[in-house]
RNA sequence: GGGCCUGUAGCUCAGUCAGGUAGAGCGUCGGGCUUUUAACCCGAUGGUCGCGGGUUCGAACCCCGUCGGGCCCGCCA
C-alpha cells in the first residue's frame, strides 16, 4: 500500500471527518524543502478523499511569529525589528533593506515571502485553505485556548519541563504580550486576571494585554496545540526537527488535552538536501526556491519525487543527471499498464505492493486528469533543444507542427532554461571538439579506421544537407561492409570524443563543413602516428 | 546525555510495519535493429542483505548486542 493510503487508513480508523494541516513560518525565502511539507499534506488529503473520508487540507501561515534575528540576507537595520511579528514589519527590498513604501501599501515581511510560494503551489496543483495565524489571533480565534492556557500555566509549565527536560525561567508564562514598541522580546508578565495579562517591558513600562484580542501570542509549544484545538486538526505531517523526543510534538500532544482535544495523527518526514551540498538552509544561501525548481522541473516530476519516496527517507535533490533519471523513471512508470500487470498469475505479495505503490505515485503526481501521453522523453527534448534554436524546428522534428499544446511549450521552455543554467549536466551537453581527443583516438578500432578515409571523402563532396550526410554515412558503411553503428562510433569519437551520441546528421549540418573535415583528417593522422 | 533515520548487486534504491525460494532501474557484457531518439528489442552478468548472537520448521524482515554513515533535541520543514 502506498504511504499516503496507509495514513488514510489510520485516519479512517479514527473517524470520518478530518482536517489535515501544514504550516510554515515565512521568515525567509521558501525552498523546496517546504514543498515536501505541503505536498505530503496534499497527498494524504487526496488519499483520505479516495478512502471516502470528509477531509479538508489547510496551510497555516505563521505570520504571528516574531523575527528571530537579522538573517544574512537582511540589512543590519532589521535589528530594530527583532522580536516584532512578521506580519507587522516591512518587507525587504532587493538590497535587504526595509521597503517602507511597499509596507505602506499593505505588503508585510510575511507577505513578501509568502507570495512566490503561493504561486509555486498553484503550479504544482496544491490548493489548501490558507489560514493566517496573525489574523487568527486578531480575530479572536485563539481566545478560548489562550485563556485556558493562561489559567493552566502551572500545568503547561509542568508538561514542558517534564517532557522536554528543559528548565523554564521563573517568569515564564504561556502568553507573550507585545510591548510598547511592538516587540515580544524582553517583556515580563507579572500578573494574570482572566482575560488580561499585566506586564513590564524592557524599558520598565507597565501595560496590559487582552489575550482574547490577540494582543500578543502563545509561545510556540503552546501555539501549536492551540491551533489543533481551534481548527480541529486531526492529522499533521511535520519535519523531523519537531519529531525528536521531547520536541514540540511530544509536549503539544499533552498540552492539547488541556483544551479538551485529542492530538492529531502525526507523520514525521525527513528533510530534502541538495545533492552534494547538505541540508537546505536559507541563511547559507544553499537553497533552491520552489519557483526556481519549477523553472527547471515539470511540476508533475517534482510531485513524483515526493510521492515515490516514503516520508521517512531523506531526499537528495539533484538538479543534474539525477533529474534526467528521475524524469525517465517518471515517464517509464507513467507508461506502464498497471491493470494488465495485476492480472499476471502468481504475483507475490511484494510484487503486488510494488505495482500498487507505483500506480498510486503516478496518480498523485499527475496534475490534470488528462495528462497527455508523453510525446517526447526528457532526454530527447534535451537534445532537440540544444540542436535546434527555433521552437518550430523542434516541433517539426517531433511531427507536431499542426497543434502544439501549452504543456509542450512549457516543457520546451523549461528545458531551455535548464540548459542555460549551471545545473545542466555536462554528460548531456553536446560539445564539438576542436582538436582530436587523444583518449578518444585511442579507442578507434580497425573497422573505424578502415571506413574513416572513405567517409571523409564522401563528406567532402556531398551536398551539406541532412539527407546527403546521412546517405554518405550509410554508403560508407555498405561499401566497406561494416555495420553503420561502427561508422557512427568513429564519428562520435572524432567529433565529440565519445562512443555514443545523439543523431549526428542534424548536428553536422549546422556546423562548418571545413572544420569538421579538418578535424577528421587530424584524427586519422593522429591515429596513424600512434 | 536523549532520540530518529540509515547500511541490500559496480551505482541509485525497493523489499523490513503484517517472517515463507533475494528485486527494479541504471551500468557492464553479448546479440538484434541494412541510414541510432545517448533510442528500442532479446539475452546474460552481478548480492556472505554491515557484523555477532537469539526466537522460529523458516529471518534482509522480529528481539538483544555491536560497528559504520547521516541527522534532530533555542529557532528551522
Amino acid at each position: 500500500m502506498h504511504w499516503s493510503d496507509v495514513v488514510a487508513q489510520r485516519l479512517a480508523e479514527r473517524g470520518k471527518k478530518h482536517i489535515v494541516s501544514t504550516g510554515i513560518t515565512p521568515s525567509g525565502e521558501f525552498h523546496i524543502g517546504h514543498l515536501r511539507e505541503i505536498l505530503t499534506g496534499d497527498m494524504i488529503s487526496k488519499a483520505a478523499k479516495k478512502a471516502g473520508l470528509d477531509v479538508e487540507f489547510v496551510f497555516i501561515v505563521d505570520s504571528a511569529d516574531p523575527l528571530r534575528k537579522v538573517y544574512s540576507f537582511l540589512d543590519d537595520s532589521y535589528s530594530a525589528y527583532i522580536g516584532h511579528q512578521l506580519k507587522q514589519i516591512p518587507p525587504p527590498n532587493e538590497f535587504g533593506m526595509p521597503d517602507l513604501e511597499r509596507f505602506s501599501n499593505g505588503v508585510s515581511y510575511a507577505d513578501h515571502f509568502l507570495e512566490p510560494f503561493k504561486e509555486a503551489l498553484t503550479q504544482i496543483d496544491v490548493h489548501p485553505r490558507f489560514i493566517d495565524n496573525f489574523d487568527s489571533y486578531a480575530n479572536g480565534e485563539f481566545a478560548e485556548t489562550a485563556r485556558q492556557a493562561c489559567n493552566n500555566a502551572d500545568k503547561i509549565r509542568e508538561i514542558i519541563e517534564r517532557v522536554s527536560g528543559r528548565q523554564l525561567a521563573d517568569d515564564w508564562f504561556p502568553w507573550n504580550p507585545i510591548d510598547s514598541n511592538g516587540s515580544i522580546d524582553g517583556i515580563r508578565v507579572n500578573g494574570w486576571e482572566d482575560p488580561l495579562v499585566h506586564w513590564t517591558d524592557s524599558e520598565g513600562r507597565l501595560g496590559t494585554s487582552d489575550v482574547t484580542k490577540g494582543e500578543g501570542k502563545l509561545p510556540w509549544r503552546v501555539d501549536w496545540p492551540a491551533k489543533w484545538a481551534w481548527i480541529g486538526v486531526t492529522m499533521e505531517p511535520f519535519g523531523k526537527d519537531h519529531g525528536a523526543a521531547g520536541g514540540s510534538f511530544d509536549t503539544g500532544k499533552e498540552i492539547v488535552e488541556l483544551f479538551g482535544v485529542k492530538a492529531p495523527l502525526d507523520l514525521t518526514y525527513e528533510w530534502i538536501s541538495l545533492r552534494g551540498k547538505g541540508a537546505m538552509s536559507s541563511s547559507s544561501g544553499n537553497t533552491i526556491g520552489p519557483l526556481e525548481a519549477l523553472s527547471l522541473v515539470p511540476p508533475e516530476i517534482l510531485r513524483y519525487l515526493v510521492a515515490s519516496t516514503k516520508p521517512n527517507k531523506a531526499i537528495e535533490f539533484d538538479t543534474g543527471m539525477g533529474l534526467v533519471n528521475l524524469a525517465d523513471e517518471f515517464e517509464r512508470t507513467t507508461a506502464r499498464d498497471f491493470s494488465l500487470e495485476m492480472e499476471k498469475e502468481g504475483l507475490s505479495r511484494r510484487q503486488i505492493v510494488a505495482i500498487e505503490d507505483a500506480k498510486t505515485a503516478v496518480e498523485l503526481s499527475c496534475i490534470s486528469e488528462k495528462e497527455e501521453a508523453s510525446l517526447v522523453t526528457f532526454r530527447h527534448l534535451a537534445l532537440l533543444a540544444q540542436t535546434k534554436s527555433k521552437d518550430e524546428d523542434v516541433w517539426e522534428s517531433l511531427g507536431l507542427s499542426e497543434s502544439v499544446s501549452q504543456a509542450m511549450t512549457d516543457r520546451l521552455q523549461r528545458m531551455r532554461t535548464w540548459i542555460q543554467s549551471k545545473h545542466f549536466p555536462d554528460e548531456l551537453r553536446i560539445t564539438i571538439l576542436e582538436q582530436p581527443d587523444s583518449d578518444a583516438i585511442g579507442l578507434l578500432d580497425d573497422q573505424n579506421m578502415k571506413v574513416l578515409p572513405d567517409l571523409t571523402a564522401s563528406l567532402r563532396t556531398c551536398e551539406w544537407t541532412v539527407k546527403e550526410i546521412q546517405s554518405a554515412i550509410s554508403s560508407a558503411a555498405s561499401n566497406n561492409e561494416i555495420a553503420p553503428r561502427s561508422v557512427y562510433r568513429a564519428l562520435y569519437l572524432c567529433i565529440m570524443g565519445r562512443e555514443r551520441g545523439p543523431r549526428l546528421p542534424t548536428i553536422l549540418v549546422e556546423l562548418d563543413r571545413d572544420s569538421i573535415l579538418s578535424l577528421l583528417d587530424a584524427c586519422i593522422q593522429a591515429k596513424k602516428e600512434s
Side-chain angles (χ1 to χ4, degrees), chain A residues 26-30 73-74 78 86 89-94 96-97 99 102 106-118:
Chain A
S27 56
E29 291 284 352
F30 284 68
F73 53 86
L74 295 175
Y78 265 98
L86 300 175
I89 61 177
N93 63 17
E94 57 187 310
M97 314 261 288
D99 189 336
R102 275 165 73 216
V107 179
S108 70
Y109 185 99
D111 299 326
H112 171 81
F113 291 110
L114 184 63
E115 282 314 312
F117 190 63
K118 278 186 166 175

Side-chain angles (χ1 to χ4, degrees), chain A residues 52-74:
Chain A
L53 302 177
D54 175 7
V55 58
E56 189 187 17
F57 177 41
V58 302
F59 175 47
I60 301 164
V61 181
D62 284 319
S63 54
D65 289 6
L67 183 70
R68 306 274 180 203
K69 62 175 184 181
V70 179
Y71 298 104
S72 58
F73 53 86
L74 295 175

